[in-house]
């Protein structure tokens, strides 16, 4: 496996890019700098968020319905994610939010026979505070009750900041 990485050392870079491959396949690498927040300098993204993870429209291609996630960003910029995919599979992760307001979503699934990965970005769009494209892969598992042939899907996730309504208002 060969790895190629680029970092502009003459300019304080916030991102490292590159490639990894073995001559047969090749994949892009991207890494973002994680900022440091200390004292009264809190992350501007501090708060709680909800995340929707759509399933497939064609249930023969993968699980239908929607999954969901709960994300929490601490004052120091650390994100805690707890989610459940449309097929009921749970995953969680803890990762810092980058300078570019992006998080790498990644989780091992199905006992190491699958994964979910992609970049989610915090946005200021009127319809969504979070969005991104994720890949959701399940390798063939003959003992699996659902989708024993596996699947590979890409889906667009969206999310919003959660605003607690207070004790006098129903959720």
């Amino acid at each position: 496996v060969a790895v190629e990485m680029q970092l502009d050392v003459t300019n304080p870079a916030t991102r490292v890019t590159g490639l990894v491959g073995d001559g047969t396949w090749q994949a892009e690498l991207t890494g973002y700098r994680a900022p440091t927040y200390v004292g009264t300098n809190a992350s501007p993204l501090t708060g709680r968020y909800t995340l929707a993870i759509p399933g497939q429209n064609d249930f023969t291609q993968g699980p239908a319905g929607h999954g969901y996630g709960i994300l929490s960003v601490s004052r120091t910029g650390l994100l805690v994610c707890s989610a459940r995919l449309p097929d009921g599979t749970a995953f969680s992760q803890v990762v810092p939010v980058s300078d570019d307001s992006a998080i790498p979503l990644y989780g091992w699934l199905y006992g190491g026979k699958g994964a979910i990965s992609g970049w989610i970005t915090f946005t200021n769009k009127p319809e969504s505070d979070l969005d991104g494209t994720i890949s959701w892969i399940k390798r063939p598992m003959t003992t699996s009750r659902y989708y024993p042939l596996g699947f590979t899907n890409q889906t667009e996730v969206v999310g919003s900041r959660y605003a607690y309504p207070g004790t006098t208002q129903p959720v």
Side-chain angles (χ1 to χ4, degrees):
V1 173
V3 178
E4 175 185 318
M5 296 175 60
Q6 295 88 32
L7 173 64
D8 181 359
V9 295
T10 61
N11 188 11
T14 60
R15 182 165 67 162
V16 175
T17 59
L19 300 169
V20 63
D22 68 358
T24 305
W25 62 269
Q26 183 172 296
E28 291 183 20
L29 295 175
T30 304
Y32 294 93
R33 179 180 296 195
T36 303
Y37 299 101
V38 294
T40 59
N41 180 26
S43 168
L45 302 171
T46 300
R48 294 184 178 175
Y49 299 81
T50 58
L51 184 69
I53 307 167
Q56 296 300 304
N57 291 332
D58 180 355
F59 71 91
T60 64
Q61 300 299 310
H66 279 61
Y68 59 90
I70 300 168
L71 290 77
S72 179
V73 179
S74 71
R75 293 178 46 80
T76 62
L78 194 64
L79 176 127
V80 176
C81 171
S82 178
R84 191 167 295 274
L85 298 173
D87 69 350
T89 302
F91 76 94
S92 61
Q93 77 170 34
V94 178
V95 65
V97 179
S98 76
D99 268 345
D100 292 348
S101 300
I103 55 168
L105 183 71
Y106 185 79
W108 279 105
L109 307 173
Y110 313 113
K113 299 207 182 272
I116 187 167
S117 67
W119 287 95
I120 297 177
T121 304
F122 289 85
T123 67
N124 288 324
K125 296 178 181 176
E127 68 276 4
S128 179
D129 296 317
L130 298 164
D131 67 11
T133 302
I134 59 169
S135 295
W136 177 18
I137 300 166
K138 178 181 178 184
R139 291 181 26 207
M141 298 169 39
T142 57
T143 59
S144 180
R145 181 174 177 187
Y146 300 108
Y147 302 99
L149 299 178
F151 55 83
T152 300
N153 295 326
Q154 281 199 333
T155 190
E156 300 290 324
V157 298
V158 295
S160 295
R161 183 181 286 268
Y162 175 73
Y164 180 69
T167 57
T168 60
Q169 297 290 326
V171 176

